[in-house]
Amino acid sequence: MSGELDIRGGGAVEVDTATLRDTAARFVLAADELTRICARVGSLQNMLFAQQQFAGVALSTLALLATRLTDAVVRGERIAADLEAAAAIYELVELNARLAVAFWAGDDDALALIERQRAVLIAQYPEAMERARLAEFERAVLWPGDLVRQATEAGYDLGGLFDTARGSDLLAAAVGGVAVGGTAIGFAALTGVGGWGRLRSDATLNGAAQPIRVSASQRPPLPAPSNLTGAAERIPRTGASQVRVEKYTMADGSRQFAVYVSGTRTMAVSAKEPWDSRSNVELYSGSRSASYDATESALRAAGAQPGDVVHAFGHSQGAMITSHLALESEYDTRTLVNFGSPVEADVGSSTLSVGIRHTDDPVAALAGGGFMESVGAPGSFIVEREAHPLAGTDDLGLPSHQMTSYVETATMLDASADPRVHQLGDVFEELSHAVTVEVTEFAATRADSEGATASLGDEE
């Protein structure tokens, strides 16, 4: 396993501005207290000056102490001012993001309120808006540094390999590296600035349901996963099944469901496989896919009804599916955990959102760095790391996107002392108290126009 975990509360520049201002206030109080101590030291110096023939050493010591206290006061006041300015910058980033949402929603009242809030901050900190825009630009364009570096190095290797026979491999390698790296930078700019892959809270899939056939297969009951690694390992990767649903019946008779949704099964456009490139394009462009319909069908077949609590876990294409389930389904999606997702969804405050992505995963890069502001319920977070730092031709197999790599990251996260990880653990702890657990796996295929959209058949 490689790469240190970067765990943060979400958003491009997610910072708790209230904590910044509280810390600034504490520095101000400390500076005031030091100023009062300086005054008392000055009074003591005056008293000892009259007896300087007996107190010369004490006077020298007090003079040194007074100098150090004065320096500490100046530094404390400077730190407090810098913290206040930083809080203003981060607040402007958040306000700019909210302004864009209000604009596209046509909410004139919200626009007016946000404009007034921005004006107050800019009046107090005239340089804050320029620095906020710079932070937004850097995040929008420069966030995929690991991906661009690896693309450049891989291009260098491929260029040299291609032209070795001609004896000009150095030039070819340089050209190849620049070309591939430049393409990666352009890709980053388009996705980041264009906002592709960011699903607003009102995002819905367009189009009619597609004809599919779904077969159900009962599996032996298992206890709830005890941690994120256990949940990640339950996402289907091989075999016929693409969706796994676990039904938990609690002691009070209530029900909760966990759904685990596979990533893409074939990069071709398949006549039968719903988890194909066609579904990828449809979901990313905002259209209903056969894989989405199959997942909804699987949940209904497992007994989930509107209003039931659902905990959703998805990888890659499966993460796009679970994101839309959280945004537009009739279920109470309490938890959304996505691995290597091409999108980030602005889910509501009742959904704990956990996004796990590798900075060298080109599929996760389709999310364009995600939202500038945090999304989801309090305690939501994102996790990033560079999964495979060494670049080369092996990257053509997208090792950083494979679920095996994300399971490694989940294991690292489980070992973390970050309190937000413990909040996710509370979900598994609650499910562990179920009195019965039913496990069903579902295999879906595309059907022709005459096939049933949600035809269920049992497999033994």
Side-chain angles (χ1 to χ4, degrees), residues 30-206:
D32 290 344
E33 181 64 24
L34 289 174
T35 299
R36 288 191 289 270
I37 293 174
C38 281
R40 294 170 64 182
V41 168
S43 298
L44 182 58
Q45 283 180 295
N46 291 335
M47 293 172 57
L48 292 177
F49 188 77
Q51 305 294 330
Q52 57 181 317
Q53 67 271 30
F54 306 109
V57 174
L59 278 171
S60 297
T61 302
L62 283 176
L64 178 60
L65 176 60
T67 299
R68 290 181 174 177
L69 286 172
T70 301
D71 290 343
V73 169
V74 172
R75 288 199 301 270
E77 291 175 343
R78 184 182 301 119
I79 291 172
D82 289 344
L83 288 172
E84 288 282 359
I89 293 168
Y90 293 131
E91 282 189 357
L92 280 172
V93 171
E94 295 173 359
L95 287 172
N96 291 342
R98 287 167 51 195
L99 186 75
V101 173
F103 173 81
W104 290 110
D107 190 339
D108 293 336
D109 291 338
L111 280 171
L113 175 60
I114 295 170
E115 287 284 15
R116 289 195 296 271
Q117 292 172 328
R118 293 201 314 173
V120 170
L121 285 172
I122 294 171
Q124 293 177 316
Y125 305 95
E127 298 180 357
M129 179 58 82
E130 180 181 352
R131 296 182 64 183
R133 292 300 190 193
L134 179 60
E136 293 168 4
F137 177 81
E138 288 180 345
R139 181 62 182 180
V141 177
L142 304 178
W143 54 268
D146 292 332
L147 187 63
V148 171
R149 176 187 62 78
Q150 290 193 20
T152 303
E153 292 174 358
Y156 188 94
D157 291 342
L158 288 172
L161 180 65
F162 176 76
D163 215 41
T164 296
R166 303 181 190 176
S168 54
D169 54 304
L170 182 60
L171 177 59
V175 172
V178 171
V180 177
T183 300
I185 293 174
F187 164 80
L190 285 174
T191 55
V193 176
W196 299 348
R198 299 172 199 160
L199 303 179
R200 290 172 20 202
S201 58
D202 58 350
T204 57
L205 293 172
N206 302 313

